[in-house]
Every structure is written in structure tokens, then in C-alpha cells.
Amino acid sequence: RSLLGALHVAWQSLMLHGSAVFTTLPWDAGVRVAAPGPYLARLRCHASRLDIPWPDDFPALLRAALEAACPPGASSTDDAAQGLLRVELTSDGSVTATTRALPAVSPGPWSLRCCQAPWFGHGITGTKHGDWAAYRDATTYAREAGAGACLLLRRDRIMDCDRCTPLILRSDGVTVLYPPEALGAVHSVTLSLIKAELSRAGFSVIEASFSFGAVLDAHEVILVGSGVGVQQVHQVDGQVVGVGHQLFSAARAALVAQRADSWASLDEAVRAAGALSPILRCMSWPLPKDDWLMPELAQELLDQRLWGESAAELGWAPDRVLLHSGGHVSEIAKHSFIAGPPTMRFRAHQPPAEEASAFGRCTKTQQVLSGHIPALESSVPQPNLRWCVETWSGEAWEATRTVETQGSLAVSLRAVADIARKEEPDAIIEALPDLPITTGAVTGLLKYDLVQWTEALRLHHIAEPQELIGMLYYVNRWLVHDRCNEVLWLCAPPGDVWAQKVRHFLDVQLPHLSFKYCCGINSVQCSVVHSSVTDELHAEAVRTVQNAIRAGQLYQLNLGRKWQGKLCQAPWQTMRQLFEESSAPFSAFLDVPDEGLVLCSASPEQLLSVNQGIASARPIKGTCPRGRSPSEDEQLRTEMVASDKELAEHVMIVDLQRNDLGRVASPGAVRWARWQVETFPRVQHMVSSVEGSLSPTHDVWDALAAVFPGGSITGCPKTVTIAAIDELEDFNRSSWTGSMGFVDLRTGNGQWNILIRTVEVTKRASDGRLFEAEVKAGGGLTINSDPEAEVAEAKLKVSPLLRAAFGVGQADSLDKSRITAAACHSKSMHYEIHPINARVQSLLRGWLRSCTEVPSRPLGTWRAWAPDQHPVVSAGLSLNRCRVLFVENLDSFSLNIVHLCTRLGAEVVVLDGRAAPTTMQTACQTLKPTHVLLGPGPGRPEMYPLTMHAAQMALQGELGVPLLGICLGHQAIGVVNGWNLVTSPLGAVHGLPEDIHHKRQGCFGQLASPTSMMRYNSLVLQRPQSQNDDNLFVTAWDEQQFLVMGIQHAERPVFGVQFHPESVGSSDGEQLLRNFLSVTWVSSHPQSRM
């Protein structure tokens, strides 16, 4: 089958190349066509994609073809299209035109037939413009079935429709979706012409992938095309779909108005052909896959005055960006990028003190580790985030405007991208498979300080007023090293002078260049290095964090430490040395001369990747050194995976990343995709991949804001640990643990790293030749951390940075003799996790479930709600649907619970547990829930008024619906009932699966006893000895059958569990939640199938 599939794809590709392309214009049955420019531009685009040459004399060929097809005669007086004019270009350069009258169209709504279209998904866009027999067969099939058109699917996803484009209006009455061209749909000129008018009519028209189920659930379905105009759909494969009139009426009115204004004579059509913009061409050269070639090529560009400050002498901006994939070629180390001189940039600065006074710094003594979270009051708005827009004049950066936004980081970044997108050349982009960047992109730096716009906290150690906190560039000149295919690409606008010079240099010099691998700088003067803390104070801080974990304030925290001194060599040489000694897949270099800022990063960690709507993160947690030999490497890896501390540290971050991606992913669409060990020159890490499909209403900027800053360099729960870091570290993180990366403006794809293993350099204002540098390193702290080992780990990570930046490190770095060539440069950098003990085996089963399980029922939905929002009128629920009120308590796993509920078909509404107690009554009256879930969280339940009040209502029988408390929610039930909440006498357990013994009743029905569940708790409930007759009884215990792990009310549907059923480490967590939703649901709705 795989061979036949490969032959099929090869045959398709062969048929597509060397055939013909065509476009179909609306025709008035005389000598006029509608909007010829966009239709002919699409023709040229498809010709480029299929490698069909575009004739230099195309306008003349088109004139001859039009005159042959449309002899002089009277034009129709009706602005509606009477027919179609097809213009075809063949591979031999001939142009023909044919006309046909439109057949009579049924006045009523259309029915559709579905047809599987397996040819999609092979990277072929505009298939029907090559070998389009498959489209023709689909049209014939629909007609024979008595349908108006054929809906084309690949598996369960809508790809396209024959002769037209399907649009669905979602139930919100605003969001309109249509299939993306990137997946193979033919670009709809008609839709592009009326899209702006639909937006003005109040619709949000989004290019996004959607399923067949979304069509059936749509409020309205219409078709748009040159031949069909605008048609309404009322049936798909015999199933009735929502037939509204809102979208249909607006689209038809927009098309009528557009056609009335766009009719053009044949002469005007020929002139439009002559005015088509040139196609952007990307040039390529062979270049081996060695990871040191791109930095050395950057050095050559410096020498040729084509990059950096020397390029400013020739009129180009001196700012430099290099995104470098070091190490062995792999799926994460495939491409390196040199950004050509940028033409526009965006600078963000910390707001002035007077603007941030209500929002700004808290006092230094926050006492976060004692439960005092410096959260912003809901009445206090975050300060506006301003980006100064600057363009390069040829001599300097000149400010042109300011972009100012209020609210989230995503809103601000999207505003920047919108301005950059307007700079895109009006050129048709040729399709280049597997290149992340082929045209304009936004690239640059997001400092950690931007956490102020992702977390509503008052922080003390933030940037000084007017200090740089972000620097982004619009770049449309790129050198891309495709290491897998050993090709160097140059992508730039047509006629770009810089690209012409680079092309000439590469054509002449690249075959003769003798690249010299940088061997570092051996003779440098060592600098005096100062540490922010002593080793003793560092170890004491670890113990302080562990005390906070025992008190239940947090689960894990990433603590950093700073070293600073005078840079011992030029920043670019520092970067080249890092590339040699610490090759890493997400390395980056940034030079902003007028800000006096240089970053040299050898980061191994990815914050976010977005590719064709799939967002993924690669958290790194768990560290061990390299060995003297491959066998010692393996032994150290095995010890790391077997370590409870390293294992818990890693799995906690996996659960946190699932939560963060859950903010922007479609319901139930987040999965733990990979778990392995990766080796680097001096250390080995456990690395996972977590990914999810972006919902149609979210984009790459939403995803970036959702995961920023990375959970692996903050901790769990994220909000609390960010505040605790601010209290403990006693310095501003600045660029460290921020991010560098890019977003391609055409595709919306992007990649961003986490700035660890980074040297941050600043120039002294008094002497531009002197550089101050600082490096930072740290590690994740858990209850099982050894303070002295944490100090040693931080120094191990920082040792190559100290050597590159300050020329020191033999006392504080790993003995280089330990690292043999066999260990450092072994063929494989990735190693599987093996089931070396029961806990690892349990987690491997959880990873396998997450990778392979597909929901077997329709997914639910979720949304956040607050009482001060406009009232939400409760709609009726079908018998197979629950409406769950989920009370969120600042936890970093909350959305994992929400997504698990949607996976089970529930509709979930999220409330803030810190809200006023009366919010619960308002929510119940307004939303009419069927179930209530009290979520987990840091601290004690008394910190969350709404959570405590909901527990009280449930115990008193006033809630009226079943309630389940998870961890802190479970504790709230016990505390309200008079039980004691105490520090666990057996010690805290965070991020480890454990056997739970239970009575097999209530939520535990149908579960084996014991069952493996993930624990994240330091506090446990104890029944007072004086309370022997209360209505709460224990239903579950820990693996020693001593600690309370589950409770239940004797008469009312009130349950609590002291573990996390949503975690990847909970084997029966989904069944437990299903029991909660189904058992009580059946009691009220006997016909329910849940």
C-alpha cells in the first residue's frame, strides 16, 4: 500500500507538471468580464506553483485569445454574470479563451454530496489546475446524485468543494470559516472580492480547517464561486443543516455590489494582465548539512559588508538576527536562518513610572511563599503596551508611529504583525515546500519582562521605566539553510539590491569558499566574575522553596542565579565559541547597536512551534551530565529517568504545557506526543513534545502569549511561581528565559525558543568598545531536590557560558577530559525512555494513551464567564450533554480538567475561585449547570471565597447539582465540614503516580482497586476525633492506606479526590470523571447514554 501510495503521489506530481492552468472569469455574454486583475493574478500564481513558464508576451497572447472568443457585439445591460470566460495557459506557452453560458440554477437551497478526496495533503495546491480529472469526477458524482455540488473531504476534514468554496457560519452568528489554501483548497477569487464587505457586515471571516461535524453543526452553510455566485445549502448527504439567512443575504448583496463596480472591457482586461506584479523568486545553492557553515557564512557576509554594522556603510540597517540550528540534523534541527538587513522594526519599552503606578512595582517583601499572591485587582487595568514603529532611512532608524494596545500580549503582537504585513510586496509567492520562511516575517526578541502582559501580578524586579523589553523586526530578506536537503536558499522581494549583491557573491564565491570551523578563542584575558549569591545562599534558597512546597503553596519552582563581569572578547566571537562548545538546535544571535544590546544564546529548548495550525511545545526538565563513554552516558541516563525528583520535575511541566496550550487549542485536541532523552555536548535532558490543534478563533500570536514565559523556566502553578521567583531571585531576568524566534506572515507558521544558556551583553555608554555581560542559570526545584546537587547543576549548565564570556570556568565547569568524542558526537542524539520501574512504566502507558486515543463521541465546548459580563442566556441541553461549572483556583492544570470534560462531551463554563461568594448563586441561576467541579490550586482553600462557598452550598443541599472537588476543591469540602487540613505526615508528593486504594463506589465505580493516579499535594484532610457522626465518609486512601485520598457525602452527591484525574500519569482519570458525569446524570435523565 505504501508503494502504491508513493506511486500515486509521483504520478500526480508528474501530471501536474507540464500540463495547463486556467482561471474562470464572470462574463456578461458580450465583451465584458468582472474583476480581471485578481483572476489573472491567480492564474499566474498557479502557473508558478506548477512550474509552467509565464510568457513574456502574455498580454498580447491574451488579447488574441479574447478577441477570438468574444467577437464584437452588444454587452448585456444586466450586471449579473450571464456566463463564464475560461482563460487557459499551457506548458508550451499558448493561451486560449473559451466562453459558455451559465445553466439555469435552482432558486432554492442546494443539497451537497460528500466525496473522499485522498489527493489532498501531498503538498499540491490547486490540484484541479493540473490533473483536474478528480474534480470533474466529483462534479459528475454530485449531478448524478441530484446534488448541486460535491463537498470534498480528506478523512474527516473539509478540503474544498467542486467549482466553488464552502463557507460555514458558526453558532455564534459571527465566525465564518472556509477551507485553507495551504491544505489544498483552490483560492476563491470571488470570496476574496467580497470578504471585506462581509467583515464590514459584522462577520469574522477566517481561513481555517474544520471537520464534517462542524458543517452539520453550523448555523448556516453557503457556497461562493464565479459560476455559482452565492448559493444556500440545506442538506449534506441527506442530513439537514442549519438554514439561516444572515450570511447568505450579506454575501449575495456583497457580490451584487462588487460585480456592479468591477465590469471591465477586454482592453481593460489586457491592461490588467500587463500590470501583474512579478513573481518572487527564491534562489538556491548546494550547501552541506554541517551546522557550523551558517555562522561562518554570516562571518563572510560581515567581511563583505553585507551584514552588521559594516553593512550600514552601504546604506543597510546594522541590526543582526541569526537563528541557528546546531547539532546533528533532526526534526528540530533542520533549518538555520540569517535575516538580511531589516527595513522596519518595533521597539517596546517599560511604561513610565507614572503610567504604571497603579499597576507597577509591589514592595520587595511580598511573602508569596506564605500564601500572599500580589495579584492585580480586577478594577486595576494593565498599562498600555507601546511599540515604537521605526523605518530604516538608509542612515538611521526613524520613528514613524506608535502602536499602543491595552490588554494581552497577543493583542499587542497581532497589532505589530498587521503593520508589518502591509509592508509585504505585492508579489505572487511561489510555493516552496518545507521552508519555514520564504517571504516577510516578524522576528526578534521578547524579554521576560513581558510577563507583565501575560500574568496579572504586581512584580518588584521588573525593567526600569523606558528600558527595552521587546525588539521585533520586519524582515523580507532571508538566507535559509535547509540542512536536510543540503540546500542554501535566498528569498527576497524582486529587484532587491541586497539580494542581488548576495546572489552575485554566492554565485561567484560560494564554490571556492574555504570555511574554517571556529575553534574558539584560546588566548583571552580572564575577567573577574561576580555571582548574585554564594553557593551557601543558593542552597538555602532551595530549602526555602521546599518549605513552601511542604506548606502547599506550590509544586515546583525554577530558581535562577546570575554571574556578571566584563566580556573577555567581542560579542560575535563569544557567539562563535558557543556554537562550537555548546551546539544546540535553538541557538540565536541578536545585535541591536543603537541600544547597546547583544544576545548570544545556545538554547536547547523550544518554547513554541506553530505549523499548519498545530501548536507544539518541547519542555525540557530533568538533567544529568555526559559520561566518559557511551556506556557511562547510558548509565547516567538510566539514573536520571529512575530519579523521583527528575521524573516529577519533568511530568509536572508536561501537565503544565498541556494546560497552557489548552488555552488556545480546540476542545480535546491537546496530546503528549513524545517523551525521550536528548544529549548535548555537556548534559543530557529529558525532553517531551506537547501539541494541539489551534481552535479556529486563535492564531500563532494567541498561542505565543498562552505559553509565554515557558513553564519549564517558571514552575507550577505558573502564576504563583512567577511571583515567588520575583521575590527569591532578587534580580530582573531581562532577556534570560524570554524568547527569540519568528512568524512567517504569509502562512502564520512560527518557531520561538526559550532564552536559556544565554550571554546578555551591554555596551558601556562611556566606551563603546567595552562590554559588560551577564549569564544566568538555574534548575527546577521539587520536594525531592538536594540543595547541594541543585547548586552543582546550575554551575554545570553555566560553565560553557562562563568560559565563552569571561574566559573562566575550569574551577566551576565540567572537566573537559570527561567528554570524549564518542560521547559528545554520537550518531544519535535521541534515546527512548524504557520502563525501568513501575512508575516509569505507568507514565509510559499514559504517554501511549495520549498519543493514540481518539475521542469516540462528539466533543464539548468551554468558555470563561464572570458575573460582570453581559448575561448569558442558558440554552437548552440535549440529553447527551452536561453543563459543568468549573471553579478555577490559579492552578496550572485547570484547563487539562476542562479539556477532559469536553472530551467527554460536556459544555464547561469556567469561573474564578477568587470571586465573591455570591457569584455561585448568580452563575447557577443564569447558566443552569448540571454539575459543579471545584478545581485544584496552590495554598489553602480559604484563599478562594467562591470555592469555599460552593462547597458549603453543596454540603447544605443548596447547590441542587452534583459537586466534585479535586485536590484543593476536595480540601474545601472537608474544611467546610469541620475537618482538619494538615501537612501530610508522610511528606509531600508532587508529579508522581501512586496507587490509590478505594471502595469502588461513587466516582470510583468500575475502577480497579488499587488504581494509579497522579498526586500533587502537600496537605491532607484529617477527620477530627470529635466528629464521628458527620455525613462525610472516606472512600479512598494512598498506597499505604493511611492518608485520605477520597471522600463522599452520605446523602448528597458531593465527592472529593486528593489527586489529579486529568494528569497524564492517572491511568483511570477519564473513567473517574465519566462516572461523576454519568451516574448522577442518569439519575436525573434516565435516557442519557453518558
Side-chain angles (χ1 to χ4, degrees), residues 570-589:
W572 176 243
Q573 298 305 319
T574 300
M575 184 75 258
R576 296 175 76 195
Q577 184 169 343
L578 281 180
F579 286 157
E580 177 202 356
E581 296 190 359
S582 302
S583 59
F586 301 103
S587 301
F589 177 79

Side-chain angles (χ1 to χ4, degrees), residues 262-307:
S262 66
W263 288 107
S265 67
L266 299 186
D267 285 338
E268 290 172 323
V270 172
R271 286 196 294 271
L276 291 177
S277 300
I279 296 175
L280 175 117
R281 291 293 182 184
C282 293
M283 296 144 284
S284 64
W285 299 262
L287 189 68
K289 62 184 178 181
D290 304 81
D291 67 344
W292 49 268
L293 289 174
M294 208 59 165
E296 291 300 293
L297 179 57
Q299 180 64 55
E300 294 290 338
L301 295 177
L302 281 169
D303 296 341
Q304 296 294 321
R305 298 194 298 171
L306 292 172
W307 199 54

Side-chain angles (χ1 to χ4, degrees), residues 648-667:
E649 189 179 340
H650 188 84
V651 177
M652 272 190 267
I653 298 305
V654 169
D655 277 340
L656 183 150
Q657 292 286 26
R658 291 171 58 228
N659 176 88
D660 284 357
L661 286 179
R663 302 174 192 271
V664 293
S666 297

Side-chain angles (χ1 to χ4, degrees), residues 392-413:
W392 180 251
S393 68
E395 296 180 349
W397 289 105
E398 296 181 352
T400 59
R401 58 180 293 189
T402 298
V403 182
E404 185 169 349
T405 60
Q406 184 177 26
S408 72
L409 180 61
V411 172
S412 184
L413 295 176

